C-alpha cells in the first residue's frame, strides 16, 4: 500500500469529514452549523464566509489572492470585490481579530489574504491533527519584497511530528475524498422556478402597489378612477372575480395598502391637497380609523410588525441632517420610537419588512438610484448587506420561508425581478421584466407585482404653454435623462427603444435621432456633455460593474475613464482639460466625488472633493461646484479652486436626486412632487430669490430635465402613456447543491 500522499491532498482530505469542527487560534468553529462555538452570542456565519475560511485553511500560512478566493467561492457568479470584503470582515468580527498585527487573518495589500492562526481538526478520525500548509507555501513566496512565512506548525508543541500519525489520519479519511468539492460548491441553496405568469388585471387604466393577504387568496391595490382622477383602494380574489371598493372618500388619493399579518386589517395612506394621512380599515370593509399624519410623504413606505399592533417606517431623527432611520409606530398608543440598530448618522434607511417568521427585518439602505437591501435581526443586531447591486430598488418582499427576498431593480437596465438568498447573497434573475413593487404571500408561493405598461417620451415643454408640449423623437420605447448640449443644438438621452437602455443623440434643428451606443448587454445612463460639445461621459453598466465611459460624438468611439473596482454613480467634466469629476458609490459617507486628472494614463492623479456625495453639477463659468450629500441639510456650493462649502438652499436635498440643474448661474429645480403634479422653481444663489416658474399637471417618473436658452422651455421625459396592470406568478423553490 502506497502511503505517500502530498501535503496539499492530505489537507484537503482532513477538511472533508462530516461534522467538521476546527480550532482556529483560540476559537472553535462548527463548520456544518456555521457557528463559532466559543462565541455563542454571535449569529451564525454565512455559508460564503465559512467557504472563504476553508479556502484560507487549505492554504494555511500562504497568501491566497483575492481573484482566487472570488473564483473558488463564488464560482460562475457575477460579483463585486465587496462580497469578499464582507466575508473577511465577518470572519474577523467572529474571531474578535481587531488587534495590530492581526492574530487570525492578515491582509496582503493589493494581493489577498493569509491565515496566520494555527488550525487544528478537532473531531473524527483525524482529531488532533493540525492542518498542514501546501508545498508551494514553503520557500519563495514574496509580496512587495517581504517574505511570507512558509507554514504553520503541524503538530501540538508537546508532541513530536509523526509520519505514522499523519498516514493513519489520511487512511481514515480516504473514503471521504471529494467531499471538499461538495463543501466549496453551493450547499443546499435554494433556486427558484417561475410558473403561471399572468395578469390579474387588464382593464383600461392603471392599478398600483398590490399587496397579498397573509393566506395568499386576496389582493388589495389602488385603481385609478378616470372620472375623479384619483386612486381608489380595492380588494379582489386572486382568482377571477370582481373588485370591491374598500373605502368611500371624497377628493383624495388612496394608496400603499398593507395587509396586517393577522389578515384582519389593511393600513393605507390618503393624499389630498397639502396633506398626507395614515388610516386603517377592516380587510372586509367597514369603518376607517385615522392613525395620524404621514411622517414624510416622499418616503412614506411602511409595513406591519409581526404582532399586528405597530407599523415600521422611516423617520428623520434629525431634520437638520435629513437622514432616514427606521422606527416603530404603535397604533394603540400613537407613540413612535426609533429602532436601536447599527447605522451611521448619514445612512438612509427605508422600506422595512419583517420576515414571515418575525426573526429578521429587511430594508433598503441608500436613496435611489444607489440602493441595496440590508438585513438585521428583529432586535436590531447583526446588520449586514445582502445585495451588491448599487441600483434603484423598486420594492422588495420576503419569500414565505424567510430565507430569500424577491425584489425589483434596474440593476441590468429596465425594471426586472430577482431573488436573493439572505445567507449567501446569491442573486438569481427571475426572467420577469417590466415588473416592480413585488409582494409575496406569507404562506404559499404566490407573488403579485406591478406590470408596467408605461411609456416615458422625450418632450419639449414651452414654459406657460402646456398645450404647446410636443414629442421630440417619437418611438415605441421609453426615454430618460435628457441632457442639452452647450450650444443647445442637440440633446443626448437614454432610451430603451432598441430593446435595452442605450445613448441616443437628437438634433433639434434637423429633427434626426441617431444611436450612440449599441451594446445590449451594457445599458448606458446619466450622460454629461464636455464644454466643447464634442464628447459626453456616461455610466455604463455590466452586471455589478459601473464604469465611466467617454464617447466621441463624431466617431462613436468609447474609452473607459474609471478603474475596474470603481462603482461609478455619475461623472462630469471638470473645468480644466483632461480632468474629470467621478462619483464612486459606497455606504453612507464612503461615497466620494473624485477629481481625476489624466484618467487611464500613468500620470493619473486622484483627489477627493466631496464625501458622501449624492449628486453634483459644475458651473463652468463660475468655476464652482454645486452638490448634495448624505447627512448635509440641502444644496451646497464650493469653489473648484478651493475654499469652504456653503449652504445654498434647504429646498434641494439628496432625496430630490437629479431633479435640479445649474442654468446660467441659477438653480432650476422641481418641488412639490405629487402623483400627477410638480412645481418648477428658479433660484438665484447670489440673492436667495426663489421664483415659481410653472406648475405641471403631469405624471413625472424621471425628474431629470434640461432648460432651453433664455429659460423659455424645458426638455424632459414625463410619463406619456400609462396603463399599469397587476401581474401574478408562482415562485417555486427547489434546492440544489
Amino acid at each position: 500500500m502506497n502511503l505517500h500522499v502530498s501535503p496539499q491532498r492530505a489537507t484537503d482530505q482532513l477538511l472533508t469529514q462530516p461534522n467538521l469542527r476546527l480550532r482556529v487560534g483560540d476559537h472553535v468553529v462548527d463548520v456544518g452549523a456555521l457557528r463559532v462555538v466559543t462565541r455563542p452570542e454571535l449569529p451564525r456565519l454565512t455559508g460564503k464566509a465559512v467557504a472563504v475560511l476553508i479556502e484560507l485553511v487549505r492554504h494555511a500560512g500562504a497568501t491566497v489572492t483575492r481573484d482566487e478566493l472570488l473564483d473558488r467561492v463564488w464560482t460562475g457568479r457575477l460579483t463585486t470585490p465587496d462580497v469578499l470584503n464582507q466575508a473577511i470582515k465577518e470572519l474577523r468580527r467572529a474571531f474578535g481579530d481587531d488587534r495590530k498585527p492581526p492574530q487570525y487573518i492578515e491582509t496582503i495589500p493589493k494581493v489577498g489574504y493569509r491565515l496566520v492562526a494555527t488550525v487544528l481538526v478537532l473531531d473524527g478520525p483525524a482529531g488532533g491533527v493540525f492542518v498542514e500548509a501546501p508545498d508551494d507555501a514553503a520557500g519563495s513566496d514574496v509580496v512587495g519584497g517581504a517574505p511570507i512565512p512558509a507554514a504553520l506548525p503541524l503538530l501540538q508543541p508537546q508532541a513530536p511530528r509523526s509520519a505514522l500519525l499523519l498516514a493513519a489520519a489520511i487512511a481514515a479519511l480516504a473514503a471521504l475524498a471529494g467531499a471538499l468539492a461538495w463543501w466549496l460548491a453551493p450547499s443546499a441553496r435554494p433556486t427558484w422556478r417561475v410558473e403561471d405568469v399572468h395578469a390579474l388585471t387588464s382593464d383600461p387604466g392603471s392599478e398600483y402597489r398590490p399587496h397579498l393577504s397573509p393566506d395568499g387568496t386576496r389582493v388589495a391595490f389602488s385603481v385609478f378612477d378616470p372620472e375623479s382622477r384619483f386612486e381608489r383602494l380595492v380588494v379582489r380574489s386572486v382568482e377571477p372575480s370582481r373588485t370591491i371598493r374598500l373605502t368611500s372618500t371624497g377628493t383624495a388619493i388612496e394608496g400603499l395598502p398593507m395587509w396586517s399579518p393577522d389578515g384582519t386589517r389593511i393600513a393605507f395612506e390618503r393624499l389630498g391637497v397639502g396633506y398626507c394621512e395614515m388610516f386603517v380599515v377592516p380587510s372586509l370593509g367597514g369603518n376607517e380609523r385615522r392613525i395620524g399624519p404621514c411622517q414624510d410623504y416622499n418616503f412614506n413606505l411602511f409595513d406591519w410588525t409581526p404582532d399586528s399592533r405597530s407599523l415600521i417606517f422611516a423617520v428623520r431623527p434629525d431634520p437638520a441632517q435629513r437622514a432616514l432611520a427606521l422606527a416603530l409606530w404603535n397604533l394603540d398608543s400613537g407613540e413612535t420610537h426609533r429602532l436601536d440598530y447599527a447605522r451611521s448618522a448619514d445612512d438612509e434607511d427605508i422600506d422595512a419588512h419583517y420576515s414571515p417568521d418575525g426573526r429578521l427585518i429587511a430594508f433598503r439602505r441608500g436613496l435611489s438610484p444607489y440602493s441595496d437591501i440590508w438585513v438585521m435581526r428583529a432586535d436590531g443586531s447583526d446588520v449586514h448587506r445582502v445585495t451588491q447591486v448599487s441600483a434603484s430598488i423598486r420594492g422588495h418582499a420576503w419569500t414565505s420561508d424567510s430565507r430569500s427576498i424577491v425584489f425589483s431593480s434596474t440593476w441590468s437596465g429596465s425594471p426586472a425581478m430577482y431573488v436573493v438568498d439572505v445567507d449567501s447573497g446569491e442573486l438569481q434573475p427571475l426572467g420577469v421584466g417590466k415588473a416592480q413593487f413585488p409582494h409575496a404571500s406569507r404562506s404559499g408561493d404566490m407573488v403579485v407585482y406591478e406590470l408596467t405598461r408605461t411609456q416615458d417620451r422625450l418632450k419639449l415643454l414651452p414654459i406657460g404653454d402646456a398645450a404647446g408640449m410636443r414629442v421630440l423623437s417619437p418611438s415605441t420605447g421609453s426615454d430618460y435623462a435628457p441632457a442639452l448640449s452647450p450650444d443647445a443644438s442637440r440633446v443626448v438621452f437614454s432610451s430603451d427603444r432598441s430593446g435595452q437602455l442605450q445613448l441616443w443623440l437628437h438634433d433639434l434643428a434637423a429633427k434626426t435621432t441617431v444611436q450612440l451606443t449599441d451594446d445590449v448587454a451594457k445599458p448606458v445612463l446619466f450622460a454629461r456633455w464636455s464644454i466643447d460639445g464634442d464628447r459626453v461621459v456616461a455610466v455604463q453598466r455590466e452586471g455589478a460593474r459601473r464604469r465611466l465611459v467617454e464617447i466621441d460624438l463624431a466617431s462613436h468611439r468609447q474609452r473607459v475613464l474609471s478603474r475596474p473596482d470603481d462603482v461609478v454613480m455619475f461623472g462630469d467634466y471638470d473645468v480644466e482639460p483632461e480632468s474629470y469629476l467621478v462619483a464612486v458609490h459606497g455606504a453612507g459617507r464612503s461615497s466620494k466625488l473624485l477629481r481625476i486628472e489624466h484618467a487611464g494614463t500613468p500620470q493619473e492623479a486622484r483627489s477627493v472633493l466631496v464625501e458622501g456625495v449624492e449628486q453634483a453639477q459644475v458651473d463652468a463659468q463660475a468655476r464652482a461646484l454645486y452638490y448634495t450629500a448624505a447627512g448635509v441639510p440641502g444644496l451646497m456650493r464650493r469653489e473648484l479652486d478651493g475654499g469652504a462649502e456653503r449652504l445654498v438652499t434647504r429646498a434641494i436635498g439628496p432625496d430630490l436626486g437629479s431633479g435640479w440643474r445649474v442654468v446660467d448661474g441659477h438653480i432650476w429645480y422641481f418641488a412639490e412632487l405629487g402623483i400627477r403634479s410638480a412645481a418648477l422653481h428658479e433660484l438665484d444663489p447670489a440673492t436667495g430669490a426663489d421664483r415659481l416658474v410653472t406648475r405641471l399637471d403631469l405624471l413625472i417618473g424621471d425628474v431629470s430635465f434640461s432648460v432651453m436658452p433664455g429659460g423659455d422651455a424645458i426638455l424632459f421625459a414625463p410619463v406619456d402613456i400609462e396603463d399599469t396592470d397587476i401581474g401574478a406568478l408562482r415562485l417555486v423553490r427547489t434546492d440544489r447543491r
Side-chain angles (χ1 to χ4, degrees), residues 111 128 147 158 231 239 294 298 333 359 362 412 447 542 555 578:
V111 179
Q158 67 270 25
E231 278 77 36
E239 302 299 331
C294 304
N298 293 306
S333 67
R359 296 186 307 108
S412 60
V447 175
E542 183 180 10
S555 65
E578 293 301 313

Side-chain angles (χ1 to χ4, degrees), residues 174-243:
L176 299 174
L180 179 65
W182 175 90
W183 166 252
L184 291 177
S187 57
R189 293 196 301 241
T191 59
W192 300 91
R193 183 175 69 254
V194 170
E195 295 180 352
D196 190 23
V197 181
H198 62 285
L200 278 181
T201 64
S202 57
D203 296 332
S206 293
E207 296 85 31
Y208 307 101
R209 297 299 182 94
H211 199 265
L212 282 165
S213 60
D215 60 5
T217 62
R218 293 177 291 164
V219 59
F221 54 95
S222 294
V223 175
F224 178 67
D225 177 13
E227 293 185 7
S228 66
R229 296 188 62 79
F230 292 105
E231 278 77 36
R232 301 289 185 234
L233 212 61
V234 299
V235 173
R236 57 158 284 180
S237 169
V238 297
E239 302 299 331
S241 65
R242 67 185 182 91
T243 58

Side-chain angles (χ1 to χ4, degrees), residues 315-319 322-325 338 343 345:
V315 296
R316 298 189 186 279
D318 182 355
R322 299 180 68 89
L324 294 159
R338 282 182 54 195
R343 62 182 298 275

Side-chain angles (χ1 to χ4, degrees), residues 209-210 301 351 364 393-396 407-408 417 435-439 448-450 452:
R209 297 299 182 94
L301 300 173
D351 198 11
R364 195 180 90 204
I393 292 177
R394 301 187 179 184
H396 62 96
F407 69 98
S408 171
M417 280 207 292
Q436 59 186 12
F437 305 116
H439 183 253
V448 292
Y449 55 93
E450 280 189 11
T452 59

Side-chain angles (χ1 to χ4, degrees), residues 214-215 399-400 441-446 730-731:
D215 60 5
T399 54
S400 59
S441 59
R442 298 174 67 87
S443 59
D445 51 12
M446 175 70 73
R730 295 196 177 277
L731 192 57

Side-chain angles (χ1 to χ4, degrees), residues 51-244:
V52 169
L53 175 62
I54 292 291
E55 274 299 312
L56 294 175
V57 171
R58 290 182 69 238
H59 302 280
T63 299
V64 187
T65 70
R66 294 178 61 87
D67 287 343
E68 288 171 341
L69 288 169
L70 288 167
D71 288 345
R72 293 170 185 168
V73 177
W74 286 271
T75 303
R77 301 291 170 189
L78 290 173
T79 62
T80 65
D82 194 50
V83 297
L84 178 56
N85 297 341
Q86 195 69 28
I88 294 293
K89 288 179 182 178
E90 184 179 342
L91 291 172
R92 284 174 170 158
R93 183 169 60 246
F95 294 140
D97 193 14
D98 54 2
R99 287 184 288 176
K100 302 292 184 181
Q103 306 298 303
Y104 288 83
I105 300 173
E106 179 184 11
T107 298
I108 309 301
K110 299 184 179 180
V111 179
Y113 301 96
R114 186 170 72 96
L115 186 67
V116 295
T118 302
V119 180
L120 176 69
V121 178
L122 293 178
D123 295 341
V129 177
F130 280 81
V131 174
E132 184 175 1
D135 289 337
D136 58 7
S140 60
D141 278 353
V142 176
V143 177
I148 296 177
L152 298 175
L154 297 178
L155 296 176
Q156 301 180 54
Q158 67 270 25
R161 180 172 181 176
S162 169
L164 292 177
L165 176 61
L166 181 60
I170 293 170
L173 292 170
L176 299 174
L180 179 65
W182 175 90
W183 166 252
L184 291 177
S187 57
R189 293 196 301 241
T191 59
W192 300 91
R193 183 175 69 254
V194 170
E195 295 180 352
D196 190 23
V197 181
H198 62 285
L200 278 181
T201 64
S202 57
D203 296 332
S206 293
E207 296 85 31
Y208 307 101
R209 297 299 182 94
H211 199 265
L212 282 165
S213 60
D215 60 5
T217 62
R218 293 177 291 164
V219 59
F221 54 95
S222 294
V223 175
F224 178 67
D225 177 13
E227 293 185 7
S228 66
R229 296 188 62 79
F230 292 105
E231 278 77 36
R232 301 289 185 234
L233 212 61
V234 299
V235 173
R236 57 158 284 180
S237 169
V238 297
E239 302 299 331
S241 65
R242 67 185 182 91
T243 58
I244 300 173

